[in-house]
Amino acid sequence: MNDFLRGLGQTITKTASDVTDKTEEFFEVTKLKGQIASEEKVINQAYASLGEMLYKEYENGTVVSEEIAEICKDIDRHKERIEVLEKDLGYLKGKKG
C-alpha cells in the first residue's frame, strides 16, 4: 500500500509539473503572439501613412507610377461616392427636421 501511495504521489507531482510547464509555454506563446500583433499594427500604420503621403503627392500633381495612379484614382472614385452619400444623408436629415 505504501508503494502505491508513493507511486500515486509521484504521478501527481509529475502531472502537476507537466501542467505548469504547459501553462508557462502557453503564456509565453500568447505573449509572443501579442508582441508580433503589436509590431504588425505599427507596420500597417506606417503603410497607411506612406499611402496617404503618396496620395497627397498625386493630388498635388506629382508624377507617380501608373500602378500608384490607378490606386489613387480608385480612392478618388470612393471619395466622390462618399460625397454623394453625404448629400443624400443631408437631404434625408433635412427632410425629417
Side-chain angles (χ1 to χ4, degrees):
M1 183 68 148
N2 235 358
D3 289 338
F4 171 76
L5 292 176
R6 189 171 310 140
L8 181 61
Q10 289 173 346
T11 301
I12 291 171
T13 300
K14 170 85 171 97
T15 302
S17 177
D18 289 347
V19 168
T20 300
D21 290 346
K22 290 289 183 187
T23 301
E24 288 173 1
E25 181 181 330
F26 171 78
F27 283 119
E28 188 63 27
V29 166
T30 301
K31 177 182 166 186
L32 291 171
K33 284 183 177 181
Q35 290 173 340
I36 290 168
S38 178
E39 294 298 327
E40 288 173 340
K41 182 178 179 182
V42 170
I43 289 169
N44 287 331
Q45 289 170 340
Y47 282 149
S49 294
L50 180 61
E52 287 177 21
M53 286 188 283
L54 282 171
Y55 181 77
K56 285 179 184 175
E57 286 186 17
Y58 163 82
E59 277 187 316
N60 292 330
T62 302
V63 177
V64 294
S65 73
E66 189 175 315
E67 186 178 23
I68 292 172
E70 283 303 313
I71 294 169
C72 290
K73 289 175 187 174
D74 193 41
I75 291 170
D76 287 341
R77 285 188 289 275
H78 288 285
K79 287 176 128 183
E80 289 169 4
R81 179 70 178 139
I82 288 171
E83 287 178 14
V84 169
L85 293 169
E86 286 176 338
K87 286 178 184 175
D88 290 347
L89 181 62
Y91 173 77
L92 288 176
K93 284 184 174 181
K95 195 173 172 183
K96 288 182 181 179

